[in-house]
Amino acid sequence: LEGSGVGTGVTGRVANAAQGRFAVSPQGHLYLAWTDDHTGVRQVYVKAWRGTGWLDLAGSAQGHGISATTGLSRLGNVAAMPNGHPVVIWFDHGATRRVMLRAFDGVRWNALGGSTGPNGISGNVNPWWPSVTVDPAGRPVAVWEQYWGAAGIRLSRFEGGAWGPVASSMKPGLDSDGQLAQVAAHGDELHVLWRAKTPAHHPRYAHFDGVAWSASESPFGSATSTPRSASVLALDSSGGAWLAV
């Protein structure tokens, strides 16, 4: 697409680019997010493809990008809102370690409920590898793994101008021994897939039916052949969960 595979590619510069993630909006717009260190500190950048070339969104691919942190930023992923605009989540490993998020409204990149403030979404808890999805009502849902304090998988939804747990999903958390979590939404239902640290890095899954969370389960059993890499979670048009390893 418009030189994305030649020369300096989508980024348009020579830099140590990594962690590329993409999302497609309901309107068919493609969003690509990545990190690079061309400023000397790794930051998060975004470009959009809308059929006429790769576009910068209000400075999203320039300078310090949308993260603009003093410490190292690592990308989680990018998702699309029902209105077609992107939302991006990452984690800051500077002096304070927190999950951060910005959403584009067509004019500027905005924090949601303090999502780029001193505590971000997660608080200063040494979080890793966040992921975000957006439900059909336009509510971003974030999930991450927490290392400091009560370790485990944590989930929070943005609703009514604030971030909060979904049926105690952050108290005490979905799992105390997990990493590399993903979340998907269908209506009020949520699906979360992550990888257990022990035993043998088996994938784990939990489902919120709109009222309560199911007990976490190992959908592929305890086979020792389960790969150590991340698994994949997707939903079909009826909201059925598909899991792959």
Side-chain angles (χ1 to χ4, degrees):
L1 294 176
E2 198 76 21
S4 61
V6 297
T8 54
V10 177
T11 66
R13 54 179 169 260
V14 177
N16 184 17
Q19 299 173 317
R21 305 285 189 271
F22 73 92
V24 180
S25 76
Q27 295 76 15
H29 302 153
L30 174 64
Y31 297 105
L32 177 66
W34 75 93
T35 64
D36 73 46
D37 58 1
H38 80 277
T39 63
V41 178
R42 186 165 292 280
Q43 303 284 3
V44 176
Y45 302 93
V46 183
K47 280 190 175 181
W49 170 266
R50 293 175 178 167
T52 57
W54 290 99
L55 306 174
D56 179 281
L57 302 175
S60 62
Q62 307 299 321
H64 293 280
I66 67 167
S67 50
T69 51
T70 57
L72 174 72
S73 290
R74 294 185 182 273
L75 179 63
N77 70 316
V78 55
M81 303 283 278
N83 62 12
H85 296 315
V87 56
V88 181
I89 195 169
W90 72 94
F91 61 110
D92 170 31
H93 270 204
T96 57
R97 300 191 172 193
R98 61 229 158 120
V99 172
M100 306 179 78
L101 176 146
R102 285 189 191 273
F104 189 62
D105 65 4
V107 178
R108 62 182 62 86
W109 289 91
N110 301 304
L112 300 180
S115 62
T116 59
N119 292 317
I121 298 171
S122 61
N124 185 14
V125 294
N126 192 20
W128 283 79
W129 306 124
S131 180
V132 66
T133 192
V134 182
D135 69 18
R139 298 173 295 185
V141 182
V143 65
W144 64 90
E145 57 192 87
Q146 176 174 316
Y147 279 85
W148 291 348
I153 301 299
R154 298 290 183 269
L155 182 144
S156 187
R157 183 168 63 193
F158 185 70
E159 186 172 16
W163 292 92
V166 177
S168 299
S169 59
M170 294 176 67
K171 302 172 184 178
L174 293 169
D175 195 285
S176 61
D177 183 33
Q179 58 187 181
L180 299 174
Q182 304 166 61
V183 59
H186 181 80
D188 285 334
E189 296 187 35
L190 298 173
H191 304 261
V192 182
L193 180 68
W194 67 94
R195 188 179 72 177
K197 296 176 186 176
T198 57
H201 297 271
H202 295 146
R204 304 283 295 176
Y205 166 82
H207 171 231
F208 177 69
D209 65 5
V211 178
W213 287 94
S214 67
S216 66
E217 59 180 306
S218 186
F220 297 98
S222 58
T224 56
S225 60
T226 301
R228 296 172 65 88
S229 60
S231 304
V232 177
L233 166 66
L235 302 183
D236 61 28
S237 59
S238 63
W242 292 79
L243 315 177
V245 296

